Structures are given as C-alpha cells and as structure tokens.
Amino acid sequence: MKLPERVAICEVGTRDGFQIEPEFIPTELKIEVVDRLSATGMPRIEVTSFVSAKAVPMLRDAEAVMAGIKRRPGTRYSALVPNDKGAVRAVDAGVDDIHTVVSASESHNLANVNMTIAESLVRLEATAQVARRAGKPVYAGISCSFGCPFEGEVPVARLESVVRRLVDLGAQGIGLADTTGMANPAQVARVLEHLMPRFPGVEWTLHTHDTRAMAIPNILAAMEMGVGHFDASIGGLGGCPFAPGASGNVCTEDLVHCLGAMGVETGIDLDALIETSRRVQEIVGRVLPGQIVKAGKWTRRYALPDGVRERVPAPS
Ligand code: COA
Ligand code: ZN
C-alpha cells in the first residue's frame, strides 16, 4: 500500500457527537473531555458549534465550553459555524480555526440549515469575511459529499461546483463529509481523483461516518490518494440530527490504532485516548461503538490454557 508517514486527525466528538446526545452533557464535563483529548496530543479539536440553540440545544453552551478549556500549545481549537453570526460568536470565543458547513445536496442543506445551497454560500461569503478580518483560517466542510439520505446520488459535478465556490471565498481546506455513511472506497478514490487535480493547494479532509462499516476502508482509500487529514470521534460518538439514519463517526481510537499498527504516525497517545474513551462512555452512560476499548490493542496477548503451553515446540 502507498501510505504516508504521518496523518493529522481532528477530533469531532464533542461537536458531532455531543450535538446528538439525548441528554444535555453538562458544560464542565464537555470541558473535561476536550482537555483530556488535547492531553493525548490531538492536533485539532472541533470543540463545539456556534449554531442556533433552537436547532441544536445540546450545544447551547458553546461560549462557556470555549472559555473553560485549557489551551494546550500544539492543539488547534475550532468550531463549526453555518453563517456569519456563528463566525462572530466563534471569533469572540477565541477559536483558532473556523469550520463552516454546507451540503452538496439541496434537500439536506434545507433540512440542516434551512437554506438553499446558494443562500448558504452567500452566508458563507460573509462568514469568510468575518474570519479574514479576525485572521482565522477557514476550513469548509461539505455534508453529503458522497450521497444524500433524501436525494440519493450526488453528482460529482455538483460537488465540484460547491468546492469551487468555497475555494473562491478563501477556504484553505475542504472537508468532504460522508454524513450518513453512504460512500464506498472505490467511490472515494474516484471523487478524489476528480477533485484533487482541479484544486491544487487545497488541504483535503475526509469526514466519515461508520454507519455502514465503511469508514476505515474509505479513509484508507483517501490516504492512498494522498489525503492526510481525517475527522474522527472518540468512542465513535456522532450523527447529524438533520439526516435520518446518521450514526457515529469513525471512532478515533480505532483509527489511531489502525494507523499505528501500519506504522503511520499521528502524534497521539493511544493509551490516553482509550482512557478518554472509557471516561466518555461513563459520561454518556452507555457502551459506544469503538472496538479497541473492548478488544484491547493488537499487541494484547492471552495466557495459553494448561496442557497446551507445555506442548508448544521451542522456536527453531
Ligand atoms: N448562532 C446563534 N443563533 C443564531 C445563529 C447562530 N449562528 N444564526 C441564527 N441565529 C438565530 C437568529 O438570531 C434568530 O434568533 P431569534 O429567533 O432570537 O431572532 C434565529 O436563530 C433564527 O435565525 P434565522 O437566520 O432565521 O435562522 P433559521 O431559523 O433559518 O436557522 C440556522 C438557520 C443555520 C441558524 C439553523 O438552522 C442552525 O443553527 N442550524 C445548525 C444545524 C447544525 O448544527 N447541524 C448539525 C451539524 S452539520
Ligand atoms: Zn458528521
């Protein structure tokens, strides 16, 4: 396989995950999770979102969370915003980076942010201006890049035109989001093969959901295409409240474990990440989809049963 030496992970569990939790996670626990994540060496954390509290009540404490976290040098803290109002709030709250959201599907964009794609792009133009004045980089995420739960197939020409608008308004990174886990690895490779040469200099991120168990295969396909940035969510939390059937993101510790086993560096302390995942399970009060917390790392060994141990021939 053609693998990079290193990839960068952005943890999105406290945003993509906590936004859809049935119970409001108290602010001090959100802060604790962000601080534990940064202490693992996580290079980027999407802490929260600055959206309408009516739309996403679970993240209504975005300002308080940003104000309460310990800022670890080496971690960049961002938040998701759908419009310039969100960008002003995010800048005031001290984010390092602005993450924007628009969908490649008209139906999902209306369900998610109550705007057509064209209306969203107008608001994102204003968002980019707010970010530029504040000196904050913009990374633009595109929901339903590989398929929409309402419309089905999303033509690559439509995706390309949304990317074009986002790059023109100054986004330095583009995040292709598989919001409801519809993408497959061959499709990911095909879409990237189409887009990447058309937008030189853009930093590409793949944002996956493991709804159909294709998240890690999709990440491997993107890595082979030269993508070096991936969103992931602790324990596999996550899901979009405005996309039926959406479930958790690729699980951060499972991904870091997989990358580590292949010799791809992430700079993240896997043991600390596994501990954090256990703590998040305690906080949300249920078992999360992540596998490594249950199975242990691949280096885990078991004692041989009596009667077998004695019969194992010495290595020749
Ligand atoms: N932060 C806080 N409040 C906001 C806001 C923001 N970024 N943007 C708008 N609002 C407020 C407005 O001030 C207005 O408040 P009021 O009722 O007190 O006057 C209210 O929300 C409605 O504003 P409007 O511009 O008409 O928006 P809307 O009702 O059409 O909703 C969004 C549009 C984008 C604000 C809303 O759909 C939203 O926040 N969606 C977020 C979706 C999301 O996070 N999805 C998951 C992640 S992909
Ligand atoms: Zn998502």
Side-chain angles (χ1 to χ4, degrees):
M1 287 180 80
K2 202 173 88 217
L3 295 171
E5 270 172 36
R6 197 182 174 86
V7 299
I9 290 184
C10 177
E11 169 63 43
V12 299
T14 55
R15 195 281 299 169
D16 211 337
F18 287 173
Q19 72 180 3
I20 201 178
E21 278 301 307
E23 303 287 336
F24 181 77
I25 311 269
T27 307
E28 63 275 15
L29 294 181
K30 290 177 176 144
I31 292 168
E32 180 195 327
V33 174
V34 173
D35 288 345
R36 281 175 179 264
L37 287 164
S38 63
T40 68
M42 191 64 67
R44 297 184 183 190
I45 302 177
E46 192 175 273
V47 175
T48 184
S49 61
F50 290 92
V51 299
S52 150
K54 270 186 224 125
V56 184
M58 298 303 161
L59 300 184
R60 61 182 181 267
D61 57 355
E63 273 86 359
V65 174
M66 281 302 302
I69 57 176
K70 285 195 227 49
R71 305 291 284 252
R72 188 191 77 95
T75 298
R76 292 188 72 84
Y77 299 89
S78 64
L80 185 97
V81 309
N83 56 20
D84 41 317
K85 176 162 184 162
V88 170
R89 289 176 60 205
V91 166
D92 288 349
V95 300
D96 297 312
D97 300 315
I98 301 271
H99 288 189
T100 64
V101 60
V102 61
S103 185
S105 130
E106 291 287 2
S107 316
H108 180 259
N109 207 58
L110 279 163
N112 195 34
V113 292
N114 195 28
M115 293 181 268
T116 63
I117 294 174
E119 286 165 346
S120 259
L121 289 167
V122 170
R123 297 304 295 268
L124 294 186
E125 190 86 54
T127 302
Q129 275 169 25
V130 172
R132 204 173 307 124
R133 275 199 297 275
K136 308 289 180 190
V138 171
Y139 295 88
I142 307 176
S143 308
C144 301
S145 287
F146 302 95
C148 165
F150 307 108
E151 292 181 9
E153 198 194 331
V154 169
V156 74
R158 167 126 48 85
L159 183 59
E160 181 186 339
S161 77
V162 176
V163 174
R164 173 70 62 201
R165 289 289 304 274
L166 294 169
V167 169
D168 286 350
L169 63 77
Q172 72 177 58
I174 297 289
L176 301 176
D178 184 22
T179 307
T180 58
M182 292 171 71
N184 66 64
Q187 179 192 11
V188 167
R190 212 163 47 236
V191 167
L192 288 169
E193 199 167 28
H194 179 89
L195 292 178
M196 289 175 88
R198 286 173 166 76
F199 300 97
V202 164
E203 181 192 291
W204 298 92
T205 295
L206 191 71
H207 175 102
T208 54
H209 284 259
D210 204 31
T211 318
R212 295 181 175 84
M214 290 191 277
I216 287 187
N218 287 336
I219 289 168
L220 295 177
M223 263 167 51
E224 287 215 294
M225 295 300 299
V227 172
H229 291 82
F230 299 97
D231 289 350
S233 160
I234 189 79
L237 286 170
C240 174
F242 308 101
S247 63
N249 295 82
V250 67
C251 166
T252 313
E253 65 270 20
D254 289 1
L255 177 60
V256 169
H257 173 270
C258 170
L259 293 168
M262 298 190 299
V264 179
E265 189 48 60
T266 58
I268 296 166
D269 176 343
L270 179 56
D271 293 312
L273 199 58
I274 291 171
E275 270 318 298
T276 304
S277 182
R278 291 211 174 90
R279 176 68 182 131
V280 171
Q281 298 207 31
E282 242 170 57
I283 289 172
V284 300
R286 66 175 190 284
V287 174
L288 291 172
Q291 301 284 358
I292 294 303
V293 165
K294 296 157 196 145
K297 295 185 280 188
W298 70 272
T299 46
R300 180 175 180 179
R301 295 292 178 270
Y302 297 84
L304 267 173
D306 289 344
V308 174
R309 198 182 318 120
E310 303 80 64
R311 290 171 46 219
V312 176
S316 51

